[in-house]
Amino acid sequence: MFRLDQEAEAAVRERLGLPEADAFLARLEQLSFDIAGPLEQVYGGVADTTRLATGLVLDALDAAAARPAPLRLLDRRREIDPGWFQRSRMIGYVCYADRFAGSLRGVREHLDYLAELGVTYLHLMPLLQPRDGDSDGGYAVADYGAVDRRLGTMADLEVLAAELRGRGIALCIDLVLNHTAREHEWARKALAGDPACREMYLIYPDRTGPDAYEATLPEVFPDTAPGSFTEVPGPGWVWTTFHDYQWDLNYANPAVFRHMLATMLTLANRGVDVLRLDAAPFLWKRAGTDSQNQPEAHLLLQAFRALTRLAAPGLVLKAEAIVGPEMLVQYLGAHDRYQPECDLAYDNQLMVMLWSTLATRDVRLAEHALARRRPAPAPTSWVSYLRCHDDIGWAVSDADAAAVGLGGFEHRRFLNEFFAGRFPGSFARGAVFQENLMTGDARISGMAASLCGIESAAAAGDEAELTLALRRLECLYAVVFSFGGIPLIYMGDELALPNDPGWADDPAHAHDNRWMHRPRMDWGRAARRRDPASVEGRAFAALRSLAHARRQLLALRSGGTTEILPAGNQSVLAYRRAHPRSAPFLSLTNFSDASQSVDAGLIARAGLRHPRLAHASTAAGAEAPPLELARIELDPWSFAWLTGT
Ligand code: OTU
């Protein structure tokens, strides 16, 4: 077990004073295994890991000593209540500060809007200083110590964080830890020949290394950024998984780890509650593999978590790992044994299954895939989402597809055709993203409202179809709100905002159709949110009531279990949520254009002896089903939430 030497321990007592020093040392004792174990496994071959660990603990001590008083108070609360982020009151909202409100100050002016929706967790998209010009939506950071000057300053971020804290809203921001912009100080110095800065990146003198790696590396952006290496004058070839201006960091160098930890702690001390760790699977490279999801990537996350806990126990880490279903839950620490890793991770699989089911109107693939996965460890939580700023990649495993009689490749191709609006009868108005002509793979861009058919129905002036499309949106979000993770509303979905028709007008965006689903907030439309006859009003009311209903249902908090229950109807997805301290919960969702019924025996099977309806579709025309009949009838594209002892 790792222990601080006497000198370092004395430093803790001197810097923090009682009782904080005592708390710090108690945390260290509790975390020492989680700090030393991963560091030893990752860096044992290249560094004296006892020295390394001591240095990192002292860095954490610096951060703890600098932590502002209100945040220390928050730490205390959260140590008493470590499940604070698992509550059913947690409702997330995701937006770009500039697209939502111009700037960080602008965001502060719209907090009432978020409160009206029931939001308690606000994820602002990348806001640190990016490179000039195209920055991949802020995912190419030139300076981790500054806020994007177009959005404001660090001081503005602190003021915003404090105001959110006062309102009980947690703040999440992006931390791009796999790569920096090539304009970052280290990259500039590396180009100028600084040997220490060259060690921060993965740089090869010729093509030998890159060729060997590329034999097994997939391409993330084959259309616009083929290959994974970029030739630069001087040093040679730089590892660039994403765009040529995003240089991958070399985590085999402990200095990279140390600097990134310092960035995390600085941001935590500004009042950030949650860090979204971008591209987490890519942190470690290994020849002969796809260099994703490597054991060391997990160990690094574990070490980051333990060391941030030490200094800022109120901080939560969220993994952005959009990977195959069998590799997802490990980011929550579900390895052979539970190893505390990220507290939150995106439930990419649920998202994909929702869209797949929307297209097929057949729940069997979702039932199969979701039923056989490993649960999230009890202290953690998924974040559940329907849309985000990225494309939808069809993470449907061939094995899952085969189990329900589908070909994986054919099904993925069907989904691309369907959502691009090319499949006969499709109502979707998305677009294909990064079609790889070599492999036939492709992904989908588009706002939820456009993928659900709201855009096409509104354009056609087809009122009946519009109602159906709005109900689809509500059904999908109903699952997002009740599957057990923290639900995230992607900005604009609450108003059924369609694709941005002018997305390509900005020359820096024209090559990347993900911008079609990154519209500016339309405050004119938002003003119609209280008009129940408008599309905006219908969508807003639906999401708002989902938030309201969720808050009342203890079974929906994270840390419980989600169990898929075959409903005996291919169009109805049924699942049960349970939490040791709550009454059981049953959700039924009809994913088809026709009415469907299920045997009411399902209610008893779910353990609800005295069922009552907790919530049901609000969208026009959907009737809440009576529960006392032998069969439960569900209107087309409608859902019912049941609870009861
Ligand atoms: C992330 O996405 C961001 O969400 C993207 O907007 C960025 O472009 C990218 O990183 C680079 O910073 O491959 O297609 O498993 O899927 O990190 C998007 C994680 C991506 C990857 C994810 C990445």
Side-chain angles (χ1 to χ4, degrees), residues 96 125 136 139-140 174 176 179 220-221 242-243 246 276 278-282 292 320-323 389-391 433 443 514 518:
Y96 291 90
M125 297 296 294
D136 187 23
Y139 287 104
D174 275 84
V176 187
H179 44 267
V220 180
F221 299 132
F242 298 94
H243 297 95
Q246 289 162 310
R276 172 193 181 276
D278 182 59
F282 293 83
Q292 291 183 44
E320 192 258 342
I322 310 305
V323 295
H389 70 293
D390 278 332
D391 50 288
F433 177 70
R443 284 120 70 180
R514 288 179 298 174
R518 299 170 181 176

Side-chain angles (χ1 to χ4, degrees), residues 130-149:
R131 70 192 294 266
D132 291 337
D134 188 9
S135 65
D136 187 23
Y139 287 104
V141 178
D143 182 357
Y144 289 81
V147 164
D148 183 343
R149 60 184 89 85

